[in-house]
Amino acid sequence: MAVEYREEPCRSALNRVKGMRFKWSLNPYMGCVHRCTFCYVRAFERRADRPANDRYSTSIRVKINVAEVLRRELARPSWAREQVTIGAATDPYQPAEGRYRLTRACLEALAEAGNPFSIITRGPMIVRDIDVLAEAARRASVSVTFSVPTLD
Protein backbone atom coordinates (compact mmCIF):
# COMPACT_ATOMS: atom_id res chain seq x y z
CA MET A 1 0.00 0.00 0.00
CA ALA A 2 1.45 3.39 -1.00
CA VAL A 3 2.01 5.98 1.70
CA GLU A 4 1.23 9.65 1.14
CA TYR A 5 3.32 12.17 3.07
CA ARG A 6 1.52 15.49 3.56
CA GLU A 7 3.92 18.29 4.50
CA GLU A 8 1.93 20.73 6.62
CA PRO A 9 2.90 23.40 9.12
CA CYS A 10 1.64 23.11 12.69
CA ARG A 11 0.44 25.87 14.99
CA SER A 12 1.54 24.15 18.18
CA ALA A 13 4.08 21.46 18.98
CA LEU A 14 3.22 20.64 22.59
CA ASN A 15 -0.14 19.02 23.23
CA ARG A 16 -1.86 19.10 26.62
CA VAL A 17 -2.85 15.55 27.59
CA LYS A 18 -5.64 14.43 29.91
CA GLY A 19 -6.27 10.97 31.29
CA MET A 20 -2.70 9.71 30.88
CA ARG A 21 0.30 9.52 33.23
CA PHE A 22 1.91 12.50 31.50
CA LYS A 23 0.67 16.06 30.92
CA TRP A 24 2.40 17.00 27.65
CA SER A 25 3.02 15.16 24.39
CA LEU A 26 4.90 15.90 21.21
CA ASN A 27 4.36 14.13 17.90
CA PRO A 28 6.38 15.34 14.89
CA TYR A 29 4.20 13.17 12.63
CA MET A 30 0.53 12.24 12.69
CA GLY A 31 -0.36 8.86 11.34
CA CYS A 32 1.90 5.84 11.50
CA VAL A 33 3.01 3.34 8.89
CA HIS A 34 3.66 0.55 11.41
CA ARG A 35 -0.04 -0.47 11.51
CA CYS A 36 0.30 -2.12 14.94
CA THR A 37 -2.84 -4.08 15.76
CA PHE A 38 -2.44 -3.22 19.45
CA CYS A 39 -2.19 0.55 18.87
CA TYR A 40 -4.46 2.42 21.26
CA VAL A 41 -4.58 5.45 18.95
CA ARG A 42 -6.78 3.59 16.45
CA ALA A 43 -9.30 2.81 19.21
CA PHE A 44 -9.16 6.43 20.37
CA GLU A 45 -9.82 7.63 16.82
CA ARG A 46 -12.86 5.33 16.56
CA ARG A 47 -14.27 6.61 19.87
CA ALA A 48 -13.77 10.20 18.67
CA ASP A 49 -15.65 9.40 15.43
CA ARG A 50 -12.52 9.98 13.36
CA PRO A 51 -11.32 7.64 10.63
CA ALA A 52 -9.30 4.80 12.15
CA ASN A 53 -9.05 2.79 8.99
CA ASP A 54 -6.00 2.40 6.74
CA ARG A 55 -5.90 6.15 6.11
CA TYR A 56 -4.17 6.57 9.50
CA SER A 57 -1.33 4.36 8.25
CA THR A 58 -1.21 5.50 4.63
CA SER A 59 -1.56 9.28 4.94
CA ILE A 60 1.11 10.71 7.22
CA ARG A 61 1.04 14.36 8.23
CA VAL A 62 4.58 15.73 8.42
CA LYS A 63 4.70 18.78 10.71
CA ILE A 64 7.45 20.53 8.78
CA ASN A 65 7.91 23.42 11.24
CA VAL A 66 7.48 21.48 14.49
CA ALA A 67 11.01 22.09 15.81
CA GLU A 68 10.79 25.87 15.32
CA VAL A 69 7.37 25.97 16.98
CA LEU A 70 8.68 23.82 19.83
CA ARG A 71 11.61 26.19 20.42
CA ARG A 72 9.21 29.13 20.71
CA GLU A 73 6.96 27.23 23.12
CA LEU A 74 9.89 26.16 25.32
CA ALA A 75 11.11 29.78 25.46
CA ARG A 76 7.83 31.16 26.81
CA PRO A 77 8.15 32.58 30.32
CA SER A 78 5.02 30.63 31.28
CA TRP A 79 6.55 27.26 30.31
CA ALA A 80 7.39 25.39 33.53
CA ARG A 81 9.80 22.87 31.93
CA GLU A 82 7.43 19.99 32.51
CA GLN A 83 8.07 16.47 31.28
CA VAL A 84 7.22 15.96 27.58
CA THR A 85 6.41 12.53 26.16
CA ILE A 86 7.41 12.05 22.53
CA GLY A 87 5.68 9.39 20.47
CA ALA A 88 2.49 8.95 22.46
CA ALA A 89 0.26 8.95 19.37
CA THR A 90 2.65 7.90 16.61
CA ASP A 91 6.16 6.47 16.39
CA PRO A 92 8.63 9.37 16.10
CA TYR A 93 11.10 7.04 14.34
CA GLN A 94 8.89 5.69 11.59
CA PRO A 95 10.47 5.65 8.10
CA ALA A 96 9.63 9.33 7.35
CA GLU A 97 12.12 10.38 10.05
CA GLY A 98 14.99 9.20 7.85
CA ARG A 99 14.10 11.92 5.36
CA TYR A 100 12.62 14.71 7.48
CA ARG A 101 14.69 14.44 10.70
CA LEU A 102 11.98 16.23 12.68
CA THR A 103 12.34 14.04 15.75
CA ARG A 104 16.06 14.75 15.90
CA ALA A 105 15.42 18.50 15.55
CA CYS A 106 12.87 18.34 18.40
CA LEU A 107 15.32 16.43 20.61
CA GLU A 108 17.92 19.12 19.94
CA ALA A 109 15.43 21.82 20.95
CA LEU A 110 14.55 19.98 24.16
CA ALA A 111 18.24 19.43 24.95
CA GLU A 112 19.07 23.11 24.38
CA ALA A 113 16.25 24.10 26.72
CA GLY A 114 17.26 21.56 29.36
CA ASN A 115 13.70 20.24 29.30
CA PRO A 116 12.96 16.71 30.61
CA PHE A 117 11.42 14.26 28.17
CA SER A 118 10.68 10.63 27.49
CA ILE A 119 10.44 8.97 24.12
CA ILE A 120 8.54 5.87 23.05
CA THR A 121 9.53 4.04 19.86
CA ARG A 122 9.82 0.73 18.14
CA GLY A 123 12.11 2.20 15.47
CA PRO A 124 15.81 1.28 15.46
CA MET A 125 16.63 4.70 13.96
CA ILE A 126 16.79 6.07 17.51
CA VAL A 127 20.40 4.85 17.61
CA ARG A 128 21.23 7.58 15.05
CA ASP A 129 20.37 10.19 17.70
CA ILE A 130 22.34 8.76 20.62
CA ASP A 131 24.57 11.86 20.61
CA VAL A 132 21.60 14.20 21.09
CA LEU A 133 20.01 11.92 23.68
CA ALA A 134 23.26 11.78 25.68
CA GLU A 135 23.62 15.58 25.58
CA ALA A 136 19.99 16.02 26.64
CA ALA A 137 20.50 13.58 29.52
CA ARG A 138 23.37 15.74 30.83
CA ARG A 139 20.94 18.67 31.13
CA ALA A 140 17.64 17.07 32.18
CA SER A 141 15.89 13.80 32.90
CA VAL A 142 15.61 11.68 29.74
CA SER A 143 14.11 8.23 29.32
CA VAL A 144 13.68 5.96 26.33
CA THR A 145 11.04 3.24 26.11
CA PHE A 146 11.11 0.61 23.39
CA SER A 147 7.97 -1.09 22.15
CA VAL A 148 8.97 -4.58 21.08
CA PRO A 149 6.20 -6.33 19.15
CA THR A 150 6.38 -10.10 19.11
CA LEU A 151 4.24 -13.07 18.22
CA ASP A 152 5.58 -15.10 21.15
Side-chain angles (χ1 to χ4, degrees):
M1 207 176 289
V3 177
E4 167 195 25
Y5 293 98
R6 299 183 344 261
E7 296 178 355
E8 300 176 7
C10 63
R11 288 185 296 238
S12 64
L14 296 169
N15 306 296
R16 185 81 161 138
V17 177
K18 295 180 183 176
M20 299 292 275
R21 296 178 66 185
F22 50 90
K23 293 181 182 178
W24 297 96
S25 72
L26 170 68
N27 293 290
Y29 307 94
M30 286 311 296
C32 187
V33 299
H34 292 319
R35 297 184 181 113
C36 300
T37 57
F38 56 82
C39 181
Y40 75 90
V41 176
R42 288 176 180 257
F44 175 80
E45 295 291 309
R46 278 192 295 276
R47 282 194 308 273
D49 288 329
R50 291 187 216 131
N53 54 17
D54 282 337
R55 180 169 166 81
Y56 186 77
S57 57
T58 59
S59 182
I60 310 300
R61 179 177 172 220
V62 179
K63 300 177 184 178
I64 56 173
N65 64 335
V66 68
E68 294 82 23
V69 172
L70 176 61
R71 277 187 172 85
R72 286 195 306 267
E73 292 175 350
L74 295 173
R76 290 181 182 155
S78 61
W79 177 247
R81 292 179 48 180
E82 294 184 76
Q83 171 84 18
V84 174
T85 299
I86 306 167
T90 184
D91 193 329
Y93 285 103
Q94 59 184 303
E97 175 61 14
R99 175 178 174 197
Y100 292 103
R101 302 175 66 91
L102 297 176
T103 299
R104 182 178 177 91
C106 289
L107 295 178
E108 290 169 341
L110 289 160
E112 290 163 11
N115 202 95
F117 66 88
S118 62
I119 190 164
I120 305 165
T121 187
R122 69 179 276 187
M125 196 182 314
I126 192 169
V127 175
R128 175 200 69 189
D129 294 340
I130 194 73
D131 60 325
V132 179
L133 292 165
E135 179 58 31
R138 283 191 273 281
R139 299 175 183 206
S141 174
V142 172
S143 68
V144 176
T145 302
F146 293 99
S147 170
V148 183
T150 179
L151 296 175
D152 185 357

